[in-house]
Amino acid sequence: MTKQPYVGYVVKRYPRFSETFIVNEILAHERVGMKIDIFALGNVEETHFQDIIAQVRAPVTRIVDKQRNMERYWALFDRAWRELPGFADCLAAQRHPNVHEFAQAILLALAIRERGIEHLHAHFGTRATTVARIAARLSGIGYSFTAHAKDIYYPYQESTELENKLRDAVQAITVSDYNLAHLRQRYGKNADRTIRLYNGLDLQKFSFTLNNNRQPEILAVGRLVEKKGFCHLISALRLLHDRRLSLRCRIIGDGPLHAVLLAQIRNLGLEQVVTLSGFLPQREIITAMRNALMVVAPCIVSEEGDRDGLPTVLLEAMALGTPVIATRVAGIPELVIEGKTGCCVAPGDSAALTEAITRLADSEEFRIRLAYEARALIEQEFDIDCNTRQLREIFAAAAARLSSVRGENA
């Protein structure tokens, strides 16, 4: 059996309600005995958390995010000088413009040396990977990272140096073929070591069932932000109401657009049709999915370019046997294949959403066929235990190379 390396996971904030894909990944690693430490770079800002976070055994180290005391800052440099071999060379070469991120990288590198961590993996190619990249260099280990969507497409005012991160990483991973094609087209040879590895689910937890007593309810789940496209679903529900199709809709989640969506519901006279439920624990969302007639993810690309890469809510619904409707945004069509594993319409097209909802609602045979095909795809491509095995092979290979180099230099 291959020895499991000791890996540090670097994330901007932990935990986050909407980033269950990171938690699923860590839990899968822990099921096979991999030792993990989690490093969080920012304060927790959310008020609700998923209950699966309690299952994570990895300790969380919160690295102070601001340097407000010059005396302590120089003391940190003194310690780095003593304990991090080659610190001076790295300092001269790095010239990182953000003192707070550089200090976090020093603190992370010192923790790596103290604990014997053999590899770093970051999620999102922005701050987490910035700090992991510097810390890896300071401590003499390798790093990898997973790029998702906002970190790839959002037009940040300052460069995130994504091309350098793709080039330097032991391995860069992204979550869809769509993302991979974009990165290779934009960054050329710098993205040669980038691979596609889908997020996954624990399929034991999301068991398939055909519920013949589903409620006439459309379910949508996600933060109430522009890229989720919930305003287009509400517009579609007005069209369905005009057709006297008696379907209710529940939108589970919360966010900055709550008041805007509530006003839209009232203006369209849909108070008896659409409910904004706020956040719910995952077990209640699973129950809601099992009972709903369909799950709709009407994702769009926001005005700033932000978008969903591959929404976990679609994986969950498809694993459970609930038919889905989604939109042709980023990697979603790789998951929701039109007419085979779900319905996939143009983003922002309420009329197309209306037709897809009507089609699913009218045909039980169609819903059942989609459900079986969707589950088969999930088992084939989105099993978290299979997908994280590939990640562990990457980590192990990096740790083995590190051990070999250190042996040669001993």
Side-chain angles (χ1 to χ4, degrees):
M1 178 181 290
T2 305
K3 176 181 175 293
Q4 299 288 350
Y6 182 8
V7 175
Y9 260 66
V10 187
V11 291
K12 183 177 179 181
R13 302 184 195 282
Y14 183 90
R16 292 201 70 187
F17 191 88
S18 61
E19 293 179 357
T20 53
F21 48 88
I22 297 176
V23 179
N24 289 336
E25 190 174 297
I26 291 171
L27 287 173
H29 290 320
E30 291 188 334
R31 280 197 289 275
V32 296
M34 196 170 85
K35 186 177 181 181
I36 293 174
D37 282 10
I38 300 168
F39 295 92
L41 306 180
N43 296 324
V44 175
E45 295 179 341
E46 298 180 348
T47 57
H48 295 71
F49 305 103
Q50 297 286 2
D51 48 9
I52 60 168
I53 290 166
Q55 299 170 26
V56 174
R57 296 191 297 273
V60 181
T61 301
R62 304 193 184 282
I63 302 180
V64 60
D65 63 341
K66 298 290 184 187
Q67 295 297 315
R68 297 185 174 89
N69 184 310
M70 283 306 296
E71 188 175 342
R72 290 180 183 174
Y73 192 65
W74 286 116
L76 179 63
F77 268 54
D78 287 342
R79 188 181 168 201
W81 190 277
R82 292 192 307 273
E83 299 183 24
L84 298 176
F87 174 70
D89 292 340
C90 289
L91 187 62
Q94 205 72 47
R95 294 188 181 278
H96 189 69
N98 187 314
V99 295
H100 305 297
E101 291 178 351
F102 194 71
Q104 286 192 312
I106 294 173
L107 290 165
L108 177 55
L110 291 168
I112 291 167
R113 301 277 297 184
E114 286 176 351
R115 303 177 193 184
I117 291 170
E118 300 168 277
H119 185 76
L120 288 179
H121 185 71
H123 269 280
F124 294 95
T126 43
R127 183 168 188 166
T129 303
T130 298
V131 172
R133 178 175 177 239
I134 300 170
R137 182 167 185 174
L138 291 171
S139 59
I141 67 172
Y143 79 97
S144 52
F145 72 100
T146 301
H148 292 268
K150 184 176 182 181
D151 49 338
I152 297 173
Y153 301 105
Y154 189 83
Y156 295 97
Q157 288 187 342
E158 296 181 3
S159 170
T160 62
E161 299 188 357
L162 191 55
E163 67 275 25
N164 296 333
K165 295 166 181 171
L166 293 168
R167 183 194 62 225
D168 295 349
V170 168
Q171 191 88 69
I173 294 126
T174 193
V175 297
S176 70
D177 288 330
Y178 178 91
N179 286 353
L180 182 61
H182 172 85
L183 291 170
R184 288 184 171 168
Q185 180 182 34
R186 179 166 181 180
Y187 299 111
K189 290 186 175 299
N190 287 326
D192 277 356
R193 285 204 296 275
T194 306
I195 62 170
R196 186 270 290 155
L197 187 58
Y198 289 129
N199 292 333
L201 289 181
D202 178 358
L203 297 185
Q204 299 298 316
K205 184 177 176 181
F206 291 86
S207 58
F208 179 83
T209 182
L210 278 181
N211 180 358
N212 295 323
N213 297 307
R214 293 180 183 274
Q215 302 299 311
E217 181 180 71
I218 299 166
L219 193 70
V221 184
R223 287 185 300 132
L224 306 186
V225 294
E226 183 185 0
K227 68 178 180 179
K228 297 296 181 183
F230 292 135
C231 62
H232 302 290
L233 174 58
I234 294 169
S235 296
L237 290 164
R238 178 67 247 182
L239 297 173
L240 289 166
H241 194 63
D242 292 343
R243 294 181 181 184
R244 301 190 183 284
L245 195 62
S246 56
L247 288 171
R248 296 177 56 80
C249 176
R250 181 159 45 142
I251 301 175
I252 298 174
D254 208 340
L257 292 185
H258 182 276
V260 174
L261 295 175
L262 194 60
Q264 183 187 8
I265 291 166
R266 288 171 177 162
N267 290 338
L268 293 177
L270 295 174
E271 295 97 325
Q272 303 304 313
V273 176
V274 187
T275 304
L276 301 181
S277 295
F279 290 123
L280 291 178
Q282 191 178 48
R283 63 179 181 280
E284 292 185 31
I285 295 174
I286 291 173
T287 300
M289 284 183 178
R290 288 193 188 282
N291 292 325
L293 195 63
M294 65 188 80
V295 166
V296 178
C299 305
I300 61 170
V301 178
S302 77
E303 288 190 9
E304 295 177 317
D306 192 13
R307 69 201 73 180
D308 268 334
L310 211 58
T312 303
V313 62
L314 290 172
L315 304 184
E316 294 172 346
M318 292 168 69
L320 292 168
T322 303
V324 301
I325 298 172
T327 52
R328 295 191 286 274
V329 170
I332 291 174
E334 298 165 40
L335 174 69
V336 183
I337 303 168
E338 168 58 26
K340 183 177 180 182
T341 63
C343 295
C344 200
V345 303
D349 189 339
S350 297
L353 271 180
T354 304
E355 294 305 319
I357 291 170
T358 303
R359 188 182 178 199
L360 268 186
D362 285 348
S363 174
E364 183 179 19
E365 180 185 355
F366 185 44
R367 295 196 300 271
I368 292 174
R369 179 162 58 83
L370 293 182
Y372 276 115
E373 292 281 355
R375 175 70 189 194
L377 180 65
I378 293 293
E379 290 181 1
Q380 181 179 341
E381 299 282 358
F382 297 91
D383 182 336
I384 191 70
D385 290 313
C386 293
N387 294 4
T388 52
R389 186 183 307 132
Q390 190 172 345
L391 260 184
R392 288 190 293 278
E393 289 172 356
I394 293 167
F395 300 160
R401 282 196 295 273
L402 175 67
S403 179
S404 176
V405 169
R406 286 177 172 171
E408 291 172 1
N409 294 334

